[in-house]
Amino acid sequence: MLNIWGAKNRPLRPRPDRRGPTRDPRDAARDFVAFLAEREALDGAGHERALAALDLPGRRPLPVLLIELGLIHEATLVTALSEATGLPILDPGGVPGAPVLAEAIGADDCARARVLPLSAGPGGLAVAVVDPFDLEIADALAHLTDRPVTRCLIGPGHFERAHRAVYGDAVPDEDGAADDDLARLQDVASQAPIVRLAARLARKAFELAASDIHLEAEEADMRVRYRVDGVLIEAERLAKSVQLALTTRIKIQAGLNIAERRLPQDGRMKAPDRGQDIDIRVSTLPTAHGESVVLRVLDGSRRVDDFSGLGFDAPAIARIEAMTSRPNGLVLVTGPTGSGKTTTLYAALKRLNGPHLKVVTVEDPVEYRMAGVNQVQAHPGIGLDFAAALRSILRQDPDVVMVGEIRDGETARIAVQASLTGHLVVSTLHTNSAAAAVTRLMDMGIEPYLIAATLNGVVAQRLVRILCDACAAPLPATERERLALGVPATAPLRLRRPCGCPACNGTGYRGRRVVSEVMLLDGELRGMIAECAGERAIAARARAGGMVPLAESGRLLAAGGRTSLDEVGRVLEGL
């Protein structure tokens, strides 16, 4: 296939019959920057930055630079280009339904030149261009197709969407970026508008007490969502044109490779909030429309260091303290992702940590720093997974070991052996209930008699949202609700419902707390486990011994007016 850069991929040349000197497109672009400044579409600082960007290495169209720098809105830019050049603006409905002259003009060529063929006939070829100052593109097309070329204008963002609609692929813009493009990209990412945008997004997360910021690349724009109290809330949509610069800014701050956009990356950065630096974990993921970025806010000031502050009631706390007070054994915290398991482990370590004990952890990642604790970051890519790290930790003569998660049989076996040889091992496991942790260990290949000998206890937990005290309203209890809660008609009941106010950002909820079931092993339970009793039998015996099941714990919280029945149903559905 021939392309608009000339036959056999030779560099572009003007048409042989063109008369007169060719003006440098950059001179025309500088004149247009002055045109924008005269009409006050650019302020003084914007005028200077636009001129400086034109002098960066690598030929970049001025309209693209202006949008990437955040100096002007695309609609304003295209209107000003039309006034300055006399070219019409492409109507939104003027995008063709299929490629025009696809046998001669390839999709990649159109993307690199930012030109969109609209129609072709004996009388000529109509195209939409992003950069009206580069006349050589039109000359090359005319020479290639042997047709006169007429041009109209299209904005950079509109071009990207139109190119995808016509050719069904992503614009190969910076994916193969050369060194000069990376230098330009770093410069754009360091410009004030992008710096302010990144800081504003972080500041909003701190104001909402969000645990995560989700920047999701979509076809036409970039969606910003915050996870507040475990629920995602959409906050705004950013222009597609700032996506690359914003992602690059975050990757620079997190120490990631800005040239790599094909593979996931993980890093860490800091952001200021109320006089202190907040740790933020950064994760990038390539998607069909660009990189998706998730920022996990690791605000140590929000972490509650005691069990009561997390929401455990007095009987549950007594059971947890009993299982963690033993000098050896295995203590597990179970639940799905995002249920607060790691925070509960940190609360346990906070209680145990002291000058008389050596405490070592292996985590992936290390979310919070704790003074006096030796914290190891797992690196599976170099062979330092949980199992390998745990082997090395045991040679350090620890008293207490925390393993971020027991994911496989090898880690489980080492943890059990460590608990047999005089160490207290605390870890997490992905199961739905406390009793299910026993069968999960069996599935990993741990012999029942070893589980019975080493397991001190299991905490199964979830996080439910707490009603906002500023706006929660009383809810009369119906017979159906009393039946669901197991509360007699004469018993007091304080149901409340969410309403929404500025204090809770309109959600009706503010903050979260734990609902849990705590299974402390006794002699009878150990005997049942050694005899391979099933999950239901173990759970029934634990309940008979005083364990409050998860579902009941949630219902009690709703009956006391701390949360709503709907929230309990959402979190504990199926239990």
Side-chain angles (χ1 to χ4, degrees), residues 3 15 25 50 72 113 128 153 173 176 180 201 207 246 249 281 326 337 371 383 432-433 441 490 506 515 539:
N3 59 59
R15 290 179 60 186
I72 191 170
L153 296 168
D173 187 2
D180 55 353
L201 295 175
E207 291 171 358
L246 176 60
R249 172 67 185 171
R281 196 176 78 217
R326 296 175 182 173
T337 300
N432 288 328
S433 67
L441 289 174
T490 56
V515 292

Side-chain angles (χ1 to χ4, degrees), residues 464 551 554-555 558 563-575:
V464 297
R555 288 194 294 267
T563 189
S564 68
L565 283 171
D566 287 342
E567 175 68 4
V568 171
R570 180 185 72 86
V571 175
L572 300 178
E573 183 179 5
L575 293 178

Side-chain angles (χ1 to χ4, degrees), residues 32-44 46-47 66 70-73 76-77 80 83:
F32 180 66
V33 170
F35 175 84
L36 292 175
E38 289 172 5
R39 283 156 178 74
E40 298 183 349
L42 289 178
D43 58 17
H47 178 235
L66 293 175
L71 297 177
I72 191 170
H73 191 275
T76 304
L77 170 65
E83 291 177 6

Side-chain angles (χ1 to χ4, degrees), residues 95-111:
V95 177
V100 174
L101 297 181
E103 70 283 356
I105 309 172
D108 289 350
D109 302 319
C110 292

